[in-house]
């Protein structure tokens, strides 16, 4: 009999619109969704401490590309950007950079927040034969899980050892946030 009474009382509360909602359900917010290209701005980090040393022939250096959330919402990035280098020489063509073996992590970007990723580069001397060097002109940078890219002009000069067909090239990219 107690069960029937409790059921009738609960039905009366629900009908009156005064049913209690657990606090955790009332304050739960939807988790941020991934950032889209239209949510972001992108560019090369050009501060003195961020510039790659393109004069370090035969020794790796790093360039950094940043993404800033320009949208009015919080969003996430996880994984690797797509990076295609377009060469300045007629013989360069386009080089799609390979990924490092580092594990990506999820980065949450509030409005105006910035994260970056690094590209390891293997510069060579100007005297290197043309067929062995790649001269970067622009970078086509696609955020993870997106199809639209940013076109960034390469601001640092220099040339890179051409290894676009190598299994383990000296020029490759790291995940977002690394």
């Amino acid at each position: 009999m107690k069960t029937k009474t409790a059921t009738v009382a609960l039905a009366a509360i629900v009908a009156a619109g005064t049913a209690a909602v657990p606090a955790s359900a009332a304050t739960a917010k939807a988790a941020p969704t991934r950032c889209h290209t239209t949510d972001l701005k992108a560019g090369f980090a050009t501060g003195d401490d961020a510039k790659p040393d393109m004069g370090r022939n035969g020794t790796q250096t790093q360039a950094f590309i940043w993404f800033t959330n320009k949208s009015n919402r919080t969003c996430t990035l996880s994984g690797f950007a797509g990076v295609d280098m377009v060469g300045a020489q007629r013989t360069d063509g386009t080089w799609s950079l390979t990924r490092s073996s580092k594990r990506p992590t999820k980065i949450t970007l509030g409005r105006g927040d910035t994260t970056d990723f690094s590209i390891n580069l293997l510069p060579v001397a100007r005297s290197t034969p043309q067929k062995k060097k790649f001269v970067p002109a622009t970078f086509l940078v696609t955020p993870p899980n997106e199809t639209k890219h940013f076109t960034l002009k390469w601001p640092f000069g220099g040339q890179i050892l051409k290894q676009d067909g190598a299994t383990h090239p000296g020029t490759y990219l790291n995940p977002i946030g690394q």
Side-chain angles (χ1 to χ4, degrees), residues 3 9 26 53 85 92 102 120 126 130 132 141-142 164 166:
T3 306
D53 184 355
M85 294 190 305
D92 286 340
K102 292 182 179 180
N120 288 45
R126 288 195 186 281
Q130 182 176 353
K132 292 186 178 186
V141 180
T142 309
D164 52 344

mmCIF file of all heavy atoms in Angstrom, residues 3 9 26 53 85 92 102 120 126 130 132 141-142 164 166:
data_model
loop_
_atom_site.group_PDB
_atom_site.id
_atom_site.type_symbol
_atom_site.label_atom_id
_atom_site.label_comp_id
_atom_site.label_asym_id
_atom_site.label_seq_id
_atom_site.Cartn_x
_atom_site.Cartn_y
_atom_site.Cartn_z
ATOM 1 N N THR A 3 3.629 1.739 -1.486
ATOM 2 C CA THR A 3 4.115 1.962 -2.839
ATOM 3 C C THR A 3 3.073 2.691 -3.664
ATOM 4 O O THR A 3 3.391 3.636 -4.381
ATOM 5 C CB THR A 3 4.466 0.619 -3.509
ATOM 6 O OG1 THR A 3 5.358 -0.084 -2.673
ATOM 7 C CG2 THR A 3 5.077 0.833 -4.872
ATOM 8 N N ALA A 9 1.513 10.253 -4.865
ATOM 9 C CA ALA A 9 2.095 11.522 -4.401
ATOM 10 C C ALA A 9 3.086 12.059 -5.427
ATOM 11 O O ALA A 9 3.107 13.257 -5.719
ATOM 12 C CB ALA A 9 2.762 11.323 -3.044
ATOM 13 N N ALA A 26 20.952 20.039 -13.550
ATOM 14 C CA ALA A 26 20.585 21.431 -13.781
ATOM 15 C C ALA A 26 21.788 22.266 -14.212
ATOM 16 O O ALA A 26 21.650 23.220 -14.964
ATOM 17 C CB ALA A 26 19.956 22.022 -12.538
ATOM 18 N N ASP A 53 66.088 28.781 -36.970
ATOM 19 C CA ASP A 53 67.424 29.194 -37.395
ATOM 20 C C ASP A 53 67.718 28.512 -38.719
ATOM 21 O O ASP A 53 68.253 27.401 -38.758
ATOM 22 C CB ASP A 53 68.455 28.817 -36.331
ATOM 23 C CG ASP A 53 69.851 29.308 -36.663
ATOM 24 O OD1 ASP A 53 70.056 29.865 -37.778
ATOM 25 O OD2 ASP A 53 70.752 29.121 -35.822
ATOM 26 N N MET A 85 53.663 22.186 -47.845
ATOM 27 C CA MET A 85 54.558 23.283 -48.208
ATOM 28 C C MET A 85 54.558 23.407 -49.727
ATOM 29 O O MET A 85 54.702 22.412 -50.431
ATOM 30 C CB MET A 85 55.990 23.005 -47.743
ATOM 31 C CG MET A 85 56.174 22.954 -46.254
ATOM 32 S SD MET A 85 57.916 22.903 -45.732
ATOM 33 C CE MET A 85 58.562 21.501 -46.620
ATOM 34 N N ASP A 92 60.176 22.420 -57.151
ATOM 35 C CA ASP A 92 59.787 22.055 -55.779
ATOM 36 C C ASP A 92 58.433 21.359 -55.699
ATOM 37 O O ASP A 92 58.279 20.364 -55.008
ATOM 38 C CB ASP A 92 59.746 23.285 -54.862
ATOM 39 C CG ASP A 92 61.119 23.789 -54.482
ATOM 40 O OD1 ASP A 92 62.090 23.010 -54.583
ATOM 41 O OD2 ASP A 92 61.218 24.964 -54.085
ATOM 42 N N LYS A 102 54.719 11.483 -31.915
ATOM 43 C CA LYS A 102 54.180 11.992 -30.647
ATOM 44 C C LYS A 102 52.670 11.797 -30.595
ATOM 45 O O LYS A 102 51.984 11.905 -31.604
ATOM 46 C CB LYS A 102 54.510 13.468 -30.474
ATOM 47 C CG LYS A 102 55.984 13.728 -30.279
ATOM 48 C CD LYS A 102 56.241 15.197 -30.060
ATOM 49 C CE LYS A 102 57.724 15.458 -29.841
ATOM 50 N NZ LYS A 102 57.986 16.881 -29.633
ATOM 51 N N ASN A 120 59.418 20.488 -37.289
ATOM 52 C CA ASN A 120 60.859 20.296 -37.293
ATOM 53 C C ASN A 120 61.329 20.449 -38.732
ATOM 54 O O ASN A 120 60.738 19.863 -39.642
ATOM 55 C CB ASN A 120 61.224 18.908 -36.766
ATOM 56 C CG ASN A 120 61.000 18.801 -35.283
ATOM 57 O OD1 ASN A 120 59.980 19.228 -34.775
ATOM 58 N ND2 ASN A 120 61.951 18.224 -34.585
ATOM 59 N N ARG A 126 72.790 27.277 -49.074
ATOM 60 C CA ARG A 126 72.392 27.773 -50.399
ATOM 61 C C ARG A 126 73.150 27.055 -51.515
ATOM 62 O O ARG A 126 72.650 26.907 -52.608
ATOM 63 C CB ARG A 126 72.644 29.277 -50.505
ATOM 64 C CG ARG A 126 71.692 30.109 -49.700
ATOM 65 C CD ARG A 126 71.786 31.574 -50.150
ATOM 66 N NE ARG A 126 70.998 32.435 -49.306
ATOM 67 C CZ ARG A 126 69.686 32.580 -49.390
ATOM 68 N NH1 ARG A 126 69.013 31.909 -50.285
ATOM 69 N NH2 ARG A 126 69.033 33.393 -48.576
ATOM 70 N N GLN A 130 70.292 22.302 -56.477
ATOM 71 C CA GLN A 130 68.869 22.633 -56.541
ATOM 72 C C GLN A 130 67.979 21.414 -56.362
ATOM 73 O O GLN A 130 66.976 21.470 -55.668
ATOM 74 C CB GLN A 130 68.554 23.323 -57.861
ATOM 75 C CG GLN A 130 67.101 23.742 -57.981
ATOM 76 C CD GLN A 130 66.815 24.508 -59.249
ATOM 77 O OE1 GLN A 130 67.712 24.852 -59.988
ATOM 78 N NE2 GLN A 130 65.547 24.772 -59.491
ATOM 79 N N LYS A 132 68.345 18.926 -54.573
ATOM 80 C CA LYS A 132 68.382 18.404 -53.206
ATOM 81 C C LYS A 132 67.814 19.374 -52.184
ATOM 82 O O LYS A 132 67.819 19.108 -50.992
ATOM 83 C CB LYS A 132 69.813 18.046 -52.802
ATOM 84 C CG LYS A 132 70.359 16.867 -53.556
ATOM 85 C CD LYS A 132 71.710 16.471 -53.017
ATOM 86 C CE LYS A 132 72.227 15.244 -53.744
ATOM 87 N NZ LYS A 132 73.471 14.760 -53.145
ATOM 88 N N VAL A 141 47.818 25.247 -44.401
ATOM 89 C CA VAL A 141 47.659 24.680 -43.061
ATOM 90 C C VAL A 141 46.184 24.419 -42.799
ATOM 91 O O VAL A 141 45.368 25.344 -42.792
ATOM 92 C CB VAL A 141 48.230 25.643 -41.991
ATOM 93 C CG1 VAL A 141 48.066 25.069 -40.594
ATOM 94 C CG2 VAL A 141 49.693 25.958 -42.288
ATOM 95 N N THR A 142 45.851 23.148 -42.566
ATOM 96 C CA THR A 142 44.479 22.731 -42.326
ATOM 97 C C THR A 142 44.339 22.272 -40.884
ATOM 98 O O THR A 142 45.057 21.361 -40.460
ATOM 99 C CB THR A 142 44.090 21.575 -43.273
ATOM 100 O OG1 THR A 142 44.410 21.952 -44.622
ATOM 101 C CG2 THR A 142 42.615 21.243 -43.164
ATOM 102 N N ASP A 164 60.962 14.782 -49.529
ATOM 103 C CA ASP A 164 59.518 14.578 -49.620
ATOM 104 C C ASP A 164 59.124 13.126 -49.878
ATOM 105 O O ASP A 164 57.990 12.744 -49.645
ATOM 106 C CB ASP A 164 58.886 15.499 -50.663
ATOM 107 C CG ASP A 164 59.557 15.437 -52.022
ATOM 108 O OD1 ASP A 164 60.686 14.917 -52.120
ATOM 109 O OD2 ASP A 164 58.960 15.916 -52.989
ATOM 110 N N ALA A 166 61.045 10.565 -48.442
ATOM 111 C CA ALA A 166 61.743 9.773 -47.419
ATOM 112 C C ALA A 166 60.770 9.143 -46.428
ATOM 113 O O ALA A 166 59.720 9.707 -46.120
ATOM 114 C CB ALA A 166 62.730 10.654 -46.673
#
